[in-house]
Coordinates of all heavy atoms in Angstrom, one line a residue:
M256 N 121.8 38.7 90.4 CA 123.1 38.7 91.1 C 123.7 37.3 91.1 O 124.9 37.1 90.9 CB 122.9 39.3 92.5 CG 124.2 39.3 93.3 SD 125.5 40.4 92.5 CE 124.7 42.0 93.0
I257 N 122.9 36.3 91.4 CA 123.4 34.9 91.4 C 123.9 34.5 90.0 O 125.0 33.9 89.9 CB 122.3 34.0 91.9 CG1 121.9 34.3 93.4 CG2 122.7 32.6 91.8 CD1 120.8 33.5 93.9
L258 N 123.1 34.9 89.0 CA 123.6 34.5 87.6 C 124.9 35.2 87.3 O 125.8 34.6 86.7 CB 122.5 34.9 86.6 CG 121.2 34.1 86.6 CD1 120.2 34.6 85.7 CD2 121.6 32.6 86.3
F259 N 125.0 36.4 87.8 CA 126.3 37.2 87.5 C 127.5 36.5 88.2 O 128.5 36.3 87.6 CB 126.1 38.6 88.1 CG 127.4 39.4 87.9 CD1 127.6 40.1 86.7 CD2 128.4 39.5 88.9 CE1 128.7 40.9 86.5 CE2 129.5 40.3 88.7 CZ 129.7 40.9 87.5
K260 N 127.3 36.0 89.4 CA 128.3 35.3 90.1 C 128.7 34.0 89.4 O 129.9 33.6 89.3 CB 127.9 35.0 91.6 CG 127.8 36.3 92.5 CD 127.5 35.9 93.9 CE 127.4 37.1 94.8 NZ 127.1 36.8 96.2
L261 N 127.7 33.3 89.0 CA 127.9 32.0 88.3 C 128.7 32.2 87.1 O 129.7 31.5 86.8 CB 126.6 31.3 88.0 CG 125.8 30.8 89.2 CD1 124.4 30.3 88.8 CD2 126.6 29.8 90.0
Y262 N 128.3 33.1 86.2 CA 129.0 33.3 85.0 C 130.4 33.9 85.3 O 131.4 33.6 84.6 CB 128.2 34.3 84.1 CG 127.2 33.6 83.3 CD1 125.8 33.8 83.7 CD2 127.5 32.7 82.3 CE1 124.8 33.1 83.0 CE2 126.5 32.0 81.6 CZ 125.1 32.3 82.0 OH 124.2 31.6 81.3
H263 N 130.6 34.8 86.3 CA 131.8 35.4 86.6 C 132.8 34.3 87.1 O 134.0 34.2 86.6 CB 131.7 36.4 87.6 CG 132.9 37.2 88.0 ND1 133.5 38.1 87.1 CD2 133.7 37.0 89.0 CE1 134.6 38.6 87.7 NE2 134.8 38.0 88.8
N264 N 132.4 33.4 88.0 CA 133.2 32.4 88.5 C 133.6 31.3 87.4 O 134.7 30.8 87.4 CB 132.6 31.7 89.7 CG 132.5 32.6 90.9 OD1 133.4 33.4 91.1 ND2 131.4 32.5 91.6
R265 N 132.6 31.1 86.6 CA 132.9 30.1 85.5 C 134.0 30.7 84.6 O 134.9 30.0 84.2 CB 131.7 29.8 84.7 CG 131.9 28.9 83.6 CD 130.6 28.5 82.9 NE 130.8 27.5 81.8 CZ 129.8 27.0 81.1 NH1 128.6 27.4 81.3 NH2 130.1 26.1 80.2
F266 N 133.9 32.0 84.4 CA 135.0 32.6 83.5 C 136.3 32.5 84.2 O 137.3 32.1 83.6 CB 134.6 34.1 83.3 CG 135.7 34.9 82.6 CD1 135.9 34.7 81.3 CD2 136.5 35.7 83.4 CE1 136.9 35.5 80.7 CE2 137.5 36.4 82.8 CZ 137.7 36.3 81.4
L267 N 136.4 32.7 85.5 CA 137.6 32.7 86.3 C 138.2 31.2 86.3 O 139.4 31.0 86.1 CB 137.5 33.1 87.7 CG 137.2 34.7 87.9 CD1 137.0 35.0 89.3 CD2 138.3 35.5 87.3
F268 N 137.3 30.2 86.5 CA 137.8 28.9 86.6 C 138.3 28.4 85.2 O 139.2 27.6 85.1 CB 136.7 27.9 87.1 CG 136.6 28.1 88.6 CD1 135.4 28.5 89.2 CD2 137.6 27.8 89.5 CE1 135.3 28.6 90.5 CE2 137.5 27.9 90.8 CZ 136.3 28.3 91.4
E269 N 137.6 28.8 84.1 CA 138.0 28.3 82.8 C 139.3 28.9 82.4 O 140.1 28.3 81.6 CB 136.9 28.7 81.8 CG 135.6 27.8 82.0 CD 134.5 28.2 81.0 OE1 134.7 29.2 80.3 OE2 133.5 27.5 80.9
E270 N 139.6 30.1 82.9 CA 140.8 30.8 82.5 C 142.0 30.4 83.4 O 143.1 30.7 83.2 CB 140.6 32.3 82.6 CG 139.6 32.8 81.5 CD 140.2 32.6 80.1 OE1 141.4 32.7 79.9 OE2 139.4 32.3 79.2
A271 N 141.7 29.8 84.6 CA 142.7 29.4 85.5 C 143.6 28.3 85.0 O 143.1 27.5 84.1 CB 142.1 29.0 86.9
P272 N 144.8 28.2 85.5 CA 145.7 27.0 85.0 C 145.1 25.7 85.4 O 144.3 25.6 86.4 CB 147.0 27.3 85.8 CG 147.0 28.8 86.1 CD 145.5 29.1 86.3
S282 N 139.2 19.9 93.4 CA 138.9 21.3 93.2 C 138.8 21.6 91.7 O 137.9 22.3 91.3 CB 140.0 22.2 93.8 OG 139.8 23.5 93.5
A283 N 139.6 21.0 90.9 CA 139.5 21.2 89.5 C 138.2 20.6 88.9 O 137.6 21.2 88.1 CB 140.7 20.5 88.8
A284 N 137.8 19.5 89.4 CA 136.5 18.9 89.0 C 135.3 19.8 89.3 O 134.4 20.0 88.6 CB 136.3 17.5 89.5
S285 N 135.4 20.3 90.5 CA 134.3 21.2 90.9 C 134.3 22.4 90.1 O 133.2 22.9 89.7 CB 134.5 21.5 92.4 OG 133.5 22.5 92.8
S286 N 135.4 23.0 89.7 CA 135.4 24.2 88.9 C 134.9 23.9 87.5 O 134.3 24.8 86.9 CB 136.9 24.7 88.8 OG 137.3 25.1 90.1
A287 N 135.2 22.7 87.0 CA 134.7 22.4 85.6 C 133.2 22.4 85.5 O 132.7 22.6 84.4 CB 135.3 21.1 85.2
S288 N 132.5 22.2 86.6 CA 131.0 22.2 86.6 C 130.4 23.5 86.4 O 129.2 23.7 86.2 CB 130.5 21.5 87.8 OG 130.7 22.3 89.0
G289 N 131.2 24.6 86.6 CA 130.7 25.9 86.5 C 130.1 26.4 87.8 O 129.6 27.5 87.8
R290 N 130.2 25.7 88.9 CA 129.6 26.1 90.1 C 130.8 26.6 91.0 O 131.9 26.1 90.9 CB 128.9 25.0 90.8 CG 127.6 24.6 90.1 CD 126.8 23.6 90.9 NE 127.5 22.3 91.0 CZ 127.5 21.4 90.1 NH1 126.7 21.5 89.0 NH2 128.1 20.2 90.3
P291 N 130.5 27.5 91.9 CA 131.6 28.0 92.8 C 132.0 26.9 93.8 O 131.2 26.0 94.2 CB 131.0 29.2 93.6 CG 129.5 28.9 93.5 CD 129.3 28.2 92.2
S292 N 133.3 26.8 94.1 CA 133.8 25.8 95.0 C 133.6 26.2 96.4 O 133.8 27.3 96.8 CB 135.3 25.5 94.7 OG 135.9 24.7 95.7
N295 N 136.9 27.5 97.7 CA 137.3 28.7 97.2 C 136.0 29.6 96.9 O 135.4 29.5 95.8 CB 138.1 28.6 95.9 CG 139.3 27.8 96.1 OD1 140.2 28.2 96.9 ND2 139.5 26.7 95.4
P296 N 135.6 30.3 97.9 CA 134.4 31.1 97.7 C 134.5 32.1 96.5 O 135.6 32.4 96.1 CB 134.3 31.9 99.0 CG 135.1 31.2 100.0 CD 136.2 30.5 99.2
A297 N 133.4 32.4 95.9 CA 133.4 33.2 94.8 C 133.9 34.6 95.1 O 133.6 35.2 96.2 CB 131.9 33.4 94.2
P298 N 134.7 35.2 94.2 CA 135.2 36.5 94.5 C 134.1 37.6 94.4 O 133.0 37.3 93.9 CB 136.3 36.7 93.4 CG 135.8 35.8 92.3 CD 135.2 34.6 93.0
P300 N 131.9 40.2 93.0 CA 131.6 40.4 91.6 C 131.8 41.8 91.1 O 131.6 42.2 90.0 CB 130.1 40.0 91.5 CG 129.6 40.3 92.8 CD 130.7 39.9 93.8

Side-chain angles (χ1 to χ4, degrees):
M256 181 62 73
I257 294 175
L258 291 175
F259 179 85
K260 289 182 178 181
L261 292 175
Y262 280 107
H263 183 76
N264 291 325
R265 180 176 183 178
F266 172 78
L267 291 178
F268 284 117
E269 288 177 353
E270 294 295 326
S282 176
S285 176
S286 299
S288 67
R290 293 187 294 272
S292 172
N295 298 305

